[in-house]
Amino acid sequence: MAAPESTAARPGGANGREGGPVLPTGRTIELLLLVFAAVIVTGALVLVEANQEQELTPTLLYVGLAYLVVLTLAHLAVRRFAPYADPLILPSVALLNGLGLVMIHRLDLADQDRAALLGQPVPDSLVFKQILWTAVGLALFIAVLWRVSDHRTLARYGFTCGLVGLVLLALPGLLPSSISEVNGAKLWIRVGGAGIQPGEFAKILLIIFFAAFLVQKRDLFSTAGRRFLGMELPRARDLAPLLVAWGLSVGVLVVERDLGSSLLFFGILLVLLYAATERVSWMLIGLGFFVIGALIAYQLFGHVQVRVQVWLDPFSDYENRGYQIAQALFGLGTGGVGGTGLGAGRPDLVPFAESDFIWSSLGEELGLIGLASILVVYLVLITRGLRSALAVRDSFGKLLATGLSFAVALQIFVVIGGVTKLIPLTGLTLPFLSYGGSSLVANYALVAMLLRISNAARAPLTRRPAAPAVPIADAGTELVQRPAVGPTTGPLPGPTGGRP
């Protein structure tokens, strides 16, 4: 008989027994890291106010208390609904969100000082709006943890999620520009003074659809085709889903003039295809489609040509189109290795410093050391998500966690690459750092799903899994000890008191 599976090494197990009491290790680690994040954020707020205002204002108290309330509620929700979840995911998100609040508050103070100097009305404070969006994101975070008790149930609604995701993705492009277009891109749905970006939520829904579809059709994509240069190429008829995704990404680029979302959706599908099939040929074919699409877009669409030209030489049109990226590069250069210090720089000179270009704002005042530290926090978040993908037992959970983690990673690369002039600007925002309600709320839902998958991967088994049925012809031989024969030479005692 096989020995029962031990959970002594499984995170969340207890004394090697399945279904034992939860060790407080994960809970304690998460709580200590959240306290550490709160200390860092509070200290950063104090530095900003000391350098900008030369005193501590009531805003510091309001922002600090709101941040602590959010952290407390998030921690209690995770411990209640996902007690075995990875204890590093939530603290990483909390620290990134807190640093974003610090920089937004710092830019608020700069805008208020400029308005007072010019005799203009004081602009609205963005940090309080961001705190409100954080509360909304936390409410959705708790709702996902509560209602999605098992991530595998999402696979049942995979095609429904895909349909809703496509509708949300296409809706801004079909609406009038008066309520959908901002800065040349049709990404919004604005009613009155409020607005959302449906594409942020479509991203999560499409990842669920991709994961469910690839699990159901895995044999289709794994079918071998012709061999070329040592690789097994897929059959021509199996390329239809990739062509559909390529057409969808180009359609987003054409209708909504959004280069970032087009790249994000196509990149997520490519990575999930590789994770499901482990075939490099899918990646190479997908990259070929991407290059073809990029060349076509450059030839047909003027806004793509403008972004490429600004990327190649922003200083050739410094006073107009290249001003934003040029100022961002000046800010990063001013920050150097150690930065100017929180509240001691001029990040407000960069347009959209609190949203699209918050990376340059942080780089000017925190320097290369600060930016590297933030990248490490992002790296922890991504790697813990991928670790959950490796540890979870079902294929759908593996693909879903991989897609969610890679979505964050690709978005970070695209945004930072654009700000540092590595690639053309795309218009995306940094997860949890940048100002913006739709991105923040959607990313909190994304993290809740990662925590749910992590909880399933780390939870101890409550019972031994049933042995799979094996045909008797394939069953292995098992040696057992023959029972000793009694003093009589008759038959062995049977179960009925000695009668066979």
Side-chain angles (χ1 to χ4, degrees):
M1 179 182 295
E5 181 183 353
S6 172
T7 57
R10 186 186 299 279
N15 301 324
R17 300 190 187 96
E18 294 178 347
V22 183
L23 287 178
T25 306
R27 183 188 308 118
T28 304
I29 291 175
E30 184 178 275
L31 182 59
L32 290 176
L33 289 176
L34 287 173
V35 171
F36 179 65
V39 171
I40 291 178
V41 172
T42 304
L45 285 171
V46 171
L47 288 175
V48 165
E49 296 237 333
N51 282 329
Q52 283 285 297
E53 302 295 319
Q54 306 299 318
E55 62 179 357
L56 301 182
T57 65
T59 304
L60 172 63
L61 179 62
Y62 301 148
V63 174
L65 285 178
Y67 179 71
L68 290 177
V69 170
V70 167
L71 285 185
T72 303
L73 293 177
H75 174 66
L76 293 177
V78 172
R79 292 304 104 198
R80 171 64 179 84
F81 299 114
Y84 299 101
D86 195 309
L88 298 183
I89 292 179
L90 181 60
S92 300
V93 171
L95 181 56
L96 292 169
N97 194 0
L99 291 176
L101 291 174
V102 170
M103 183 50 61
I104 293 170
H105 177 50
R106 185 259 176 275
L107 293 169
D108 279 346
L109 296 177
D111 292 340
Q112 292 169 9
D113 291 342
R114 182 188 297 110
L117 183 64
L118 298 177
Q120 298 175 349
V122 177
D124 295 335
S125 179
L126 296 180
V127 69
F128 290 113
K129 293 182 180 179
Q130 188 73 348
I131 290 174
L132 179 60
W133 282 117
T134 302
V136 175
L138 175 63
L140 183 58
F141 174 86
I142 297 175
V144 172
L145 285 178
W146 172 46
R147 298 301 300 172
V148 184
S149 58
D150 188 345
H151 65 275
R152 292 173 294 183
T153 59
L154 296 173
R156 304 174 188 171
Y157 309 101
F159 287 91
T160 303
C161 290
L163 178 61
V164 176
L166 289 176
V167 172
L168 291 178
L169 186 63
L171 190 57
L174 302 177
L175 293 175
S177 299
S178 58
I179 61 175
S180 64
E181 184 172 345
V182 176
N183 298 322
K186 300 185 67 175
L187 304 175
W188 292 84
I189 298 179
R190 291 186 173 274
V191 179
I196 62 170
Q197 286 182 281
E200 294 288 345
F201 301 93
K203 171 181 64 179
I204 300 176
L205 295 174
L206 289 176
I207 291 174
I208 296 173
F209 165 69
F210 291 154
F213 179 76
L214 289 174
V215 168
Q216 294 183 15
K217 305 295 182 181
R218 183 174 182 177
D219 293 339
L220 171 67
F221 294 101
S222 300
T223 303
R226 296 182 179 181
R227 294 187 63 85
F228 179 72
L229 297 178
M231 296 184 301
E232 291 184 355
L233 298 178
R235 298 174 300 179
R237 62 177 177 270
D238 297 338
L239 293 176
L242 191 62
L243 289 171
V244 171
W246 178 73
L248 176 64
S249 63
V250 173
V252 172
L253 182 61
V254 173
V255 177
E256 300 183 359
R257 298 190 290 276
D258 183 20
L259 181 62
S261 296
S262 175
L263 175 61
L264 184 63
F265 293 130
F266 192 64
I268 291 172
L269 177 60
L270 279 186
V271 169
L272 288 180
L273 267 174
Y274 176 74
T277 62
E278 298 182 5
R279 294 173 64 177
V280 181
S281 57
W282 282 108
M283 296 291 293
L284 296 179
I285 293 173
L287 291 176
F289 280 145
F290 171 76
V291 172
I292 294 173
L295 293 175
I296 294 175
Y298 181 80
Q299 296 295 329
L300 297 181
F301 310 123
H303 63 280
V304 177
Q305 297 178 9
V306 169
R307 292 201 174 187
V308 172
Q309 293 167 3
V310 170
W311 167 56
L312 293 175
D313 188 8
F315 299 99
S316 62
D317 192 13
Y318 173 75
E319 296 293 339
N320 189 13
R321 295 170 176 171
Y323 179 79
Q324 190 176 32
I325 182 64
Q327 287 296 107
L329 294 175
F330 284 141
L332 292 172
T334 302
V337 176
T340 60
L342 285 171
R346 291 301 307 274
D348 52 294
L349 296 178
V350 182
F352 301 103
E354 72 284 347
S355 54
D356 295 6
F357 280 80
I358 198 170
W359 185 251
S360 66
S361 303
L362 291 165
E364 180 175 351
E365 301 201 337
L366 298 181
L368 179 62
I369 296 175
L371 294 183
S373 302
I374 295 174
L375 280 179
V376 169
V377 178
Y378 272 127
L379 186 61
V380 170
L381 173 61
I382 295 166
T383 53
R384 301 307 283 194
L386 293 175
R387 185 178 183 273
S388 300
L390 291 174
V392 75
R393 301 173 184 89
D394 62 289
S395 299
F396 174 72
K398 290 179 180 294
L399 289 179
L400 181 59
T402 300
L404 296 174
S405 302
F406 181 76
V408 176
L410 182 59
Q411 192 164 343
I412 293 169
F413 169 77
V414 169
V415 174
I416 296 178
V419 173
T420 57
K421 201 176 167 292
L422 178 65
I423 60 175
L425 287 171
T426 58
L428 295 177
T429 56
L430 271 176
F432 303 107
L433 279 176
S434 298
Y435 173 77
S438 301
S439 175
L440 186 62
V441 173
N443 283 317
Y444 262 113
L446 183 151
V447 169
M449 296 173 63
L450 273 182
L451 287 171
R452 174 56 63 198
I453 298 172
S454 174
N455 180 75
R458 296 165 60 90
L461 296 175
T462 57
R463 60 177 179 172
R464 186 185 310 161
V470 179
I472 192 169
D474 299 330
T477 302
E478 183 178 2
L479 297 179
V480 297
Q481 184 179 1
R482 182 176 181 179
V485 180
T488 62
T489 58
L492 296 176
T496 58
R499 290 189 299 272

